[in-house]
Amino acid sequence: PNWFFEDGEFMWADSAYTVSPRVIPVHKKPASDNPLNAQFDATVAQLRIRSEHCMGALKGHWQSLRGLRIVINRKRDHDTACNWIRMCIILHNLL
């Protein structure tokens, strides 16, 4: 996890994942029946939809993002993948 996250960073996940310092999943029943939890889950769902639409637009313009062929076995590989994605985003914004 320390390869992918810096201090204070986390990810949202679906209910198949367990809670950890780096992972915040949506709630499973019966916790999802709580109105506050349901509101949280709905907000996360809206963010996920926006994220999916963003990635779809990027993949539509940059074929290399559809199947990024980088095996991530160490931090340098992760940095390479992040830099490739970052460059596609920058080019997308410039064009």
Side-chain angles (χ1 to χ4, degrees):
N2 293 332
W3 285 7
F4 305 110
F5 298 101
E6 294 180 9
D7 291 336
E9 291 183 333
F10 64 92
M11 69 176 214
W12 282 300
D14 65 25
S15 61
Y17 292 87
T18 58
V19 176
S20 77
R22 302 279 190 202
V23 178
I24 301 175
V26 295
H27 298 89
K28 297 179 187 177
K29 287 198 179 260
S32 63
D33 293 332
N34 179 315
L36 289 176
N37 292 345
Q39 182 180 7
F40 171 83
D41 294 343
T43 302
V44 170
Q46 290 172 353
L47 291 170
R48 182 177 177 191
I49 290 169
R50 288 182 185 173
S51 174
E52 292 292 333
H53 287 174
C54 177
M55 290 308 299
L58 285 171
K59 288 178 180 180
H61 289 125
W62 307 104
Q63 182 69 32
S64 66
L65 292 177
R66 290 183 187 205
L68 191 59
R69 288 167 177 79
I70 297 175
V71 177
I72 299 175
N73 289 323
R74 55 186 177 250
K75 183 168 180 10
R76 188 175 72 197
D77 300 333
H78 179 253
D79 291 341
T80 300
C82 288
N83 286 335
W84 186 269
I85 295 166
R86 187 178 295 117
M87 289 303 111
C88 289
I89 292 170
I90 290 169
L91 288 171
H92 176 80
N93 288 337
L94 288 172
L95 297 174

